[in-house]
Structures are given as structure tokens and as C-alpha cells.
Amino acid sequence: YAYAFRIIGKEMNISPFHLASRVYQEQGKGTSPLISGTYPGYEGYYNYFNIGASGTTDKQVIESGLKYAKNANPPWDNPYYSLHFGAKILGSNYITKGQDTLYLQKFDVDASNNGMYWHQYMQNMCAPSSEAKTIYNLYNEVGAVDNMFIFKIPVYNNMPDSCPLPTESKRV
């Protein structure tokens, strides 16, 4: 996968670290039915970026994501196609619109594309905290923590002195 992320990233001018991080966030350690290629009725289809995956149950999310992969043109009938075309969608729909970080893809705080808050990859308020820990651990494991990075950090005015983290009981 490292080679695929490097080639796809270079071709699309997207950080291979960003692509790998996004897939890890979406699929975990690689056991998701969306990337197994063995899900009943969708054998041989893969959706590493969860493009088009939605629903209220795990089954609905998995099947809608694999249906997207099956109906894609060309169909995502091998892991490379899923990575390549999923990265292309991520690049054209988010990264080229200035949403080039995991944070900015989650929270649309720039009004220049369809107004504020309308162009979000996901809306899980608890995700940034847990995902930041996961990404740090991944970078640490591969010895990349000391690499030079450019951070894009939004600064907000008139924020409260403290803000409690969301909890399960506060989720709607």
C-alpha cells in the first residue's frame, strides 16, 4: 500500500501521508467489510475512502459504500482502483477547495464553497480528538514525528475560555 499511496499522491499532488491517514481513519487496521472484497453480494468490490457510504446501521453503511464502488465508472473492483479513484474524489471535492487537512474536511469553516458548514466530510464531533491521537501514534511508529510539517491552524475570535469535550450522553 505504501507504493500505491506514493504513486497516487504524486499523480494527484496529494500527500501520501494524508491519503494513508484518511484510509486508516476510515477503515482501521484493514478488517472492514468495505475493503475485504468478500462482502456477500459485493464480492470483489472495495471502497477504502467510504465514498457514498451512509446509513443508520452498519449494514446500510457497508452496502451503500460497496454499491457506490460497484456502480463507479470504472467499477472499483480492485484495491488500487478504489484507492486511486477515491483519492481523486477526495482531491477534487475537498483538497482543491482549500479543505486540505483532516480538520478542514470535517468542519467547513470557509464560506467560499457553498457557504459555511455545508461542505463537510463527516460531522462526528468526537473524531478530531481520537483521530489526532491515532495519527500521532502512526507517525510515531514510522519515525515521522520529527519530520518537518506545515500546519494549517484556523484561529477563531471571541471563543470562550474553556469548552467541554462532547460525551456520549451529549450526542444527538
Side-chain angles (χ1 to χ4, degrees):
Y1 288 94
Y3 179 77
F5 287 128
R6 194 178 101 235
I7 296 302
I8 293 166
K10 184 175 182 177
E11 177 185 332
M12 296 184 195
N13 198 28
I14 301 172
S15 163
F17 278 112
H18 183 84
L19 295 174
S21 297
R22 168 61 70 214
V23 167
Y24 188 83
Q25 297 295 25
E26 299 292 344
Q27 304 305 333
K29 297 188 183 234
T31 59
S32 166
L34 281 154
I35 61 172
S36 71
T38 62
Y39 190 83
Y42 295 93
E43 293 88 350
Y45 294 98
Y46 306 83
N47 191 336
Y48 281 82
F49 291 97
N50 285 352
I51 305 296
S54 64
T56 56
T57 66
D58 288 346
K59 184 178 193 297
Q60 289 172 341
V61 171
I62 292 163
E63 290 179 359
S64 63
L66 290 173
K67 181 178 181 182
Y68 186 96
K70 185 175 185 175
N71 294 332
N73 186 15
W76 298 355
D77 57 5
N78 65 66
Y80 188 84
Y81 274 14
S82 176
L83 291 170
H84 181 271
F85 291 107
K88 189 173 185 177
I89 289 168
L90 182 64
S92 64
N93 290 352
Y94 291 91
I95 294 171
T96 61
K97 293 184 170 92
Q99 291 175 274
D100 55 358
T101 69
L102 295 174
Y103 179 88
L104 293 174
Q105 289 167 17
K106 282 178 189 49
F107 305 107
D108 181 13
V109 296
D110 181 347
S112 62
N113 287 301
N114 300 322
M116 297 277 277
Y117 319 121
W118 290 102
H119 195 251
Q120 300 177 155
Y121 192 86
M122 69 189 283
Q123 298 165 350
N124 178 351
M125 296 300 289
C126 296
S129 176
S130 64
E131 289 181 1
K133 290 174 191 169
T134 300
I135 296 302
Y136 170 82
N137 289 336
L138 288 172
Y139 279 48
N140 193 41
E141 284 176 25
V142 298
V145 171
D146 292 328
N147 289 358
M148 183 167 61
F149 295 96
I150 297 172
F151 288 91
K152 191 177 204 179
I153 303 171
V155 176
Y156 301 98
N157 296 322
N158 304 315
M159 295 298 292
D161 291 334
S162 67
C163 183
L165 292 174
T167 64
E168 288 293 323
S169 62
K170 292 182 182 179
R171 286 186 183 180
V172 177

